[in-house]
Amino acid sequence: MSSKQLLKLQKKAQNLSSKAAYEKALNCYEEMIRLAPTDPKIWVRKGDMLRKLDRNDQAVKVYARAAAKFAVSGYLLQAISVNKMILDINPD
């Protein structure tokens, strides 16, 4: 994993997102996941882009993976927070 590549992709994704180019930003986050698949923060950002694209079912799945990754890493409060995001989308 190259931290320079991740940083470059993160900046690009943030820039694209600020311009409402969510599909392109999503592509950046997917590439970041390929480089750092265990980083739950990237998974959350991917879920955020999916929500902005109104792909809520996919967002729920991605957020669930992020929550699991936070929990396994011992970040239980972050895992709970992400699970609350899931409940906001799908209260059932």
Side-chain angles (χ1 to χ4, degrees):
M1 159 179 63
S2 167
S3 59
K4 285 184 178 182
Q5 282 179 296
L6 284 173
L7 186 59
K8 183 179 176 182
L9 283 167
Q10 181 180 10
K11 287 180 180 181
K12 182 178 179 182
Q14 289 171 341
N15 185 38
L16 289 166
S17 179
S18 71
K19 295 177 181 178
Y22 303 127
E23 191 69 46
K24 290 180 181 179
L26 176 62
N27 292 336
C28 289
Y29 288 121
E30 288 173 344
E31 180 63 26
M32 290 172 70
I33 286 170
R34 281 190 280 282
L35 295 171
T38 60
D39 187 337
K41 293 174 283 190
I42 300 170
W43 287 90
V44 170
R45 291 183 192 121
K46 177 180 177 179
D48 294 343
M49 291 304 105
L50 288 166
R51 278 187 85 178
K52 289 181 183 207
L53 291 165
D54 202 29
R55 297 185 200 167
N56 291 333
D57 289 343
Q58 291 175 334
V60 166
K61 291 175 186 175
V62 170
Y63 285 144
R65 289 190 71 176
K69 290 176 185 305
F70 275 127
V72 167
S73 300
Y75 295 102
L76 300 181
L77 291 177
Q78 288 86 346
I80 291 168
S81 176
V82 174
N83 279 307
K84 286 182 179 180
M85 294 166 69
I86 293 170
L87 288 173
D88 286 342
I89 297 170
N90 186 0
D92 299 327

